[in-house]
Amino acid sequence: MASDHDAEDILKPLVFRLHENVPKAVREVLLERGWSEFDEQEQDEADWNLYWQNSPFRMTDHRSIKPWQRLNHYPETARITRKDYLARHLKRMKGIYGPSLYEFSPVAFIMPNDYVKFMAEYTKERQALGRKPSYWICKPVALSRGRGILIFQDIKDFVYDCMVIVQKYISNPLLISGYKWDLRLYVCVTSFCPLTIYTYEEGLVRFATEKYDLGSLDNVYAHLTNTSINKFGASYKKNKEGIGRGCKWTFSKFRSYLRSHEVDDLLLWRRINNIVMLTLLAVTPSVPLTSNCFELFGFDILIDDKFKPWLLEVNYSPALHLDCSIDTTVKKRLLHDIIELLNYKQTDTLRENKGASTKSSYAGRTHIRLTTQNENATDDSPDFLASKQSLLDVARGSFKKGAIAMGKMSRTQPRKTLTSQLRERMNKPKPSSQSKAASKSKQLPGARHSPHASVQVTHWLPTTESFNYKLTIPPYFVSAKDKRPFPRIGDFVLIFPFNDAALEASRNGIDIKSIIHEIHKLMSKQLP
């Protein structure tokens, strides 16, 4: 009994720190899990476990990270979330590794720089005999939520007053009851070195609220699927044929719809996983090496009438606002699973170094600007579905049987997590007197910290010689048992590394060529 009481006293709540404008759902979920909110007036600068904000962190935040802390952004990830940056990265990868892999995004022209090239392509198509003129879509590179988008067929209608990206408009989308839709897929990267990617099985299908019509290109309610636009449409609250009220489905409902029409969705999800991996590979070498971060992306995927998935864009800080009951169901569960993915240990509640403290966790493989202006920040609502067995088959691929067994066991017998212990503790009557944590010495923001006790680098971790970097904080995203990423946490399913060869190619930096070779082999096996 005495030892149990002492353990309770030691088990302090985990502490979260939120920047302004973070959606209230993040605070609600953390409080539900028994966390406490950071009080900068009462607590030391380092007395927190999770810092969440919509914008990038300062480099001093990355350099001063502690073993018990997590940041919700990696540096330089805006390199695929601005439309022009994404287009340049994909064009470069297509030039190096061929169009057969990188044909999932329409050719892009960045204006005004590519105006001459665009006009040449536009004129060539117009002059081609027997060819129907293409439709084009113009998007401001630094705006989100559907703002400033223009769809046109005739060049006389093409007007812009800022930097924009112009792409061929996918004019043959797969429709449901005559309505256009797309998928918001949530992707969580727990590490860029070694590259570790999870996709979320549940998500949002986002519908336009008026029937698709190429005869009315200026009707945003027929051509755009952004919730931030469609919730103001006249048909939003109407019971639309085959769709229902509002403008969203869950992935689960979408999967049921496909199967009711005898559509095998396994190949679709495999192709979407390939798009995610290939897109993130384009930016991975540019992300500085940092510890204890994660990045939640919102991938927007459109499916055409030939069942081919297309990448529309990648969103930074995908919106977590709760606009409807479907948002509440999907996004709150998503947030709970993100916290589980961060794998906090009981010792993290102490928020103090054991023995020696920690050196800077940051070392740049490539020194590039940390922040960029006009990042594609908070967009609108989102996610990703998939048949659970289908995604498990795809993600686990050729992993060892032991890892598969561990994943299955984790589903049937949920592990006793730190946050579940905290919830239990909240529901217990408080003891008459609780011991308070000893006061800690004040520490200046961004101050350097002395070295932490040395950590054994396993076969899974990048070697220190590769990047002239000494890894001092053990990775939170691997199992203590086999030093591999968890194959599944909640509805997050590991899609990379998908086999031992991909793991090997990402452990010492990132061997893009070898990984592309493995993806080629994977895709050849996926052919129907």
Side-chain angles (χ1 to χ4, degrees), residues 40 49 135 253 330 454:
E40 60 183 19
N49 299 97
Y135 294 89
K253 183 173 181 178
V330 172
S454 61

Side-chain angles (χ1 to χ4, degrees), residues 61-81:
D61 294 320
H62 289 288
R63 287 174 175 167
S64 60
I65 196 75
K66 300 285 194 169
W68 59 84
Q69 296 173 333
R70 314 279 190 271
L71 301 177
N72 76 310
H73 292 302
Y74 274 92
E76 294 295 340
T77 49
R79 288 178 168 273
I80 57 167
T81 59

Side-chain angles (χ1 to χ4, degrees), residues 2 56 68 76 120 137 163 165 177-178 215 225 296 314 318 322 359 398 412 497 509 521:
W68 59 84
E76 294 295 340
I137 184 166
M163 185 177 286
I165 184 172
S177 299
T225 60
L296 180 67
V314 181
L322 309 180
K359 275 186 179 176
S398 58
T412 55
K521 293 197 296 186

Side-chain angles (χ1 to χ4, degrees), residues 442-459:
K442 285 285 182 179
Q443 175 184 323
L444 293 174
R448 296 190 62 182
H449 306 95
S450 49
H452 185 51
S454 61
V455 177
Q456 286 286 341
V457 180
T458 68
H459 68 283

Side-chain angles (χ1 to χ4, degrees), residues 249-263 265 385:
W249 283 1
T250 63
F251 278 4
S252 297
K253 183 173 181 178
F254 175 60
R255 181 180 60 207
S256 297
Y257 170 85
L258 292 179
R259 293 180 178 178
S260 70
H261 288 76
E262 299 183 348
V263 174
D265 61 337
L385 127 83

Side-chain angles (χ1 to χ4, degrees), residues 76-90:
E76 294 295 340
T77 49
R79 288 178 168 273
I80 57 167
T81 59
R82 254 185 57 146
K83 300 172 183 67
D84 54 338
Y85 295 173
L86 175 62
R88 289 190 182 105
H89 277 292
L90 295 182

